[in-house]
Amino acid sequence: METTATIRGEIVRYLQNHRMTINQFARISGINSGTLSNILNGNRPMSMNQLDRITEGMEFEEGHFYELYITESIFRTTPDWRRLGPFLERCAELDKLDCLHRAARMTLENIIYVPMLFDMAELFFKEEKHKAAALLYECVAESEKFQHSERLALCHYRLFMVGLSDNVDDNLKLAVSFEQYINRLDENYQLDAYRKLINVNISLLRWDTVEVLAKKMGQIARLQYKNNFNSAIMNDEQEKPIVFYILYSFLILASVCRESGNFGEALSYLSLYENPDWIKTPSEQEIIIIKQFKEWARANRYLYRLMSGHSDALSEYVNYVESRTDEIFPALCNIVVAANRHRINIDYIIERFREYLIYKPQRNQLGKVSEQVTMNQHARLLTELGIYYLNSKKFNRGLVYIVDSMEYSIKINSDRGMLRCMGIFEQFRHAATEDILKRYNELIRDVQKLSVYAWSPQV
């Protein structure tokens, strides 16, 4: 029997130290004594199930021998998917991602395993084991990086999806990396990939990119609708009617025009998603979508008037969204921006909707709102509230909101947000109390930590 630094050697030492026979340990581990004897003599490979039983019998924590198992059963032998597949699954279950990654990479020289790794990544993705899935998608993408396959594009789409977080800088890198693959996706996935990419770029305020993506999404959706496609696959494998993407492209293009102050063109796009009379005999799900876009159109008509300086639209806008709780938060964000632009008093509105000033995930009739969009809206809301109170000469309250926004911008790693808050604060530094100034200086140190190389002196 082997007594070197192997799993078999460890088992032998355990038996010797505990003065235990193979038959005794076989009863403890639940493995047939003959099978156990063949394993210890090197006459039989060890399965994952047997390894886990042996580990439990030796009273070690789960996965104790996985590093050795990689060396003995994967690296030193021709990989066998009957062993490798269960090993990867157990690594994912136990969150032993280093072992999973190391084992998966050992198979890359043999392209026969790439489809199997991809299928397992898809399984992990559906089970929401996103970190494990990402490691396998990365391996598959590396193996096929010179290919132009749909599988490669889908790997990058999945990596984009699972990689999104509350870190603005990381989201930008993910978006830029994925953009080059979106046109290679299977048409079933492509539309929702555009939707997600658009939402991320909105949160990053990349409006030129948003416009390009929205136009492309609309073209693809209209072509699919013309060719009698009924639905597209969303990231959670649910289906959404094609008409949603057509209407959404118009909504986004209207938003692009609104951001540039072109309210006339924004209204033109608004009319396209407000009255989609080209939809014949809509399904029940399509009726819900049409209704939601009509509601958004009506709210946006009030908003465009308000943004154009018609303060009389404010009460109509507030009354309209007040009974639609899903719309209050985005409406409040827009109202504060309009108030700052046209110097409108909204004290009573802020007080009425105070509970919506706190960040929380948003939903509407069509599902969950993009977290990245909501985070961007919340950061901007805090800044705009600060500006509102500073304009009202309520310096203490205004600077508190500016510092709150700066803290939130640091949390999501938004350079744009941090710089804007710092610029506003410095402008009103003379009005800051000692407590606010102390908090601001602490946040400046946090900013320095994020930008250590930029802030370090040159020597």
Side-chain angles (χ1 to χ4, degrees), residues 380-394:
R380 186 174 182 184
L381 174 61
L382 293 175
T383 304
E384 295 291 342
L385 283 169
I387 294 171
Y388 175 76
Y389 286 115
L390 290 172
N391 286 339
S392 304
K393 309 298 183 184
K394 298 176 181 178

Side-chain angles (χ1 to χ4, degrees), residues 194-392:
Y194 269 104
R195 177 187 68 89
K196 193 67 178 180
L197 191 56
I198 286 169
N199 288 338
V200 172
N201 278 286
I202 289 174
S203 73
L204 297 168
L205 305 180
R206 300 176 75 206
W207 290 106
D208 289 344
T209 302
V210 168
E211 182 178 13
V212 171
L213 293 172
K215 287 181 177 178
K216 185 65 175 178
M217 181 179 71
Q219 291 170 358
I220 294 172
R222 287 190 291 274
L223 180 61
Q224 291 192 14
Y225 187 75
K226 182 180 179 181
N227 292 332
N228 296 316
F229 282 77
N230 295 318
S231 58
I233 299 175
M234 298 177 65
N235 184 60
D236 58 4
E237 301 302 320
Q238 300 297 310
E239 293 185 345
K240 189 180 285 292
I242 296 294
V243 298
F244 165 83
Y245 299 97
I246 298 174
L247 299 178
Y248 193 60
S249 69
F250 296 141
L251 174 68
I252 296 302
L253 290 170
S255 298
V256 171
C257 295
R258 182 199 71 198
E259 285 295 315
S260 65
N262 189 345
F263 297 108
E265 192 171 353
L267 283 169
S268 296
Y269 281 118
L270 183 150
S271 65
L272 293 177
Y273 67 81
E274 183 179 34
N275 296 303
D277 51 11
W278 46 269
I279 302 177
K280 307 300 182 183
T281 59
S283 66
E284 184 177 338
Q285 192 176 10
E286 288 172 336
I287 290 172
I288 294 173
I289 290 171
I290 293 169
K291 179 182 177 183
Q292 176 67 88
F293 277 93
K294 281 184 180 293
E295 289 189 359
W296 283 335
R298 184 173 175 184
N300 283 334
R301 284 190 182 278
Y302 293 132
L303 172 62
Y304 296 166
R305 285 182 58 207
L306 181 61
M307 288 291 191
S308 299
H310 298 281
S311 57
D312 59 304
L314 179 58
S315 59
E316 294 177 282
Y317 189 26
V318 171
N319 290 337
Y320 182 72
V321 300
E322 189 170 24
S323 61
R324 296 165 172 80
T325 56
D326 292 340
E327 304 302 325
I328 292 176
F329 171 72
L332 184 59
C333 295
N334 293 326
I335 287 169
V336 181
V337 172
N340 288 336
R341 183 175 297 178
H342 301 293
R343 297 300 177 94
I344 303 171
N345 187 303
I346 57 168
D347 287 354
Y348 72 101
I349 294 174
I350 295 174
E351 188 59 36
R352 186 189 305 184
F353 299 124
R354 180 161 297 282
E355 63 182 290
Y356 292 90
L357 301 181
I358 301 172
Y359 175 84
K360 62 180 178 180
Q362 301 294 310
R363 296 188 64 85
N364 56 45
Q365 293 183 46
L366 304 184
K368 185 179 178 181
V369 177
S370 164
E371 290 182 21
Q372 287 71 41
V373 170
T374 301
M375 288 187 299
N376 175 66
Q377 287 179 318
H378 181 67
R380 186 174 182 184
L381 174 61
L382 293 175
T383 304
E384 295 291 342
L385 283 169
I387 294 171
Y388 175 76
Y389 286 115
L390 290 172
N391 286 339
S392 304

Side-chain angles (χ1 to χ4, degrees), residues 11-45:
I11 298 171
V12 169
R13 265 192 294 277
Y14 178 86
L15 298 181
Q16 292 173 344
N17 292 338
H18 289 77
R19 300 183 182 278
M20 191 178 296
T21 66
I22 289 178
N23 287 335
Q24 288 172 324
F25 188 69
R27 287 193 294 272
I28 293 172
S29 62
I31 299 174
N32 178 275
S33 58
T35 300
L36 185 58
S37 179
N38 283 326
I39 289 173
L40 294 179
N41 282 294
N43 297 325
R44 179 173 182 148

Side-chain angles (χ1 to χ4, degrees), residues 95 166 178 225 308 310 352 387 400 410 426:
D95 204 32
D166 59 3
F178 174 56
Y225 187 75
S308 299
H310 298 281
R352 186 189 305 184
I387 294 171
V400 167
I410 292 171
E426 292 301 330

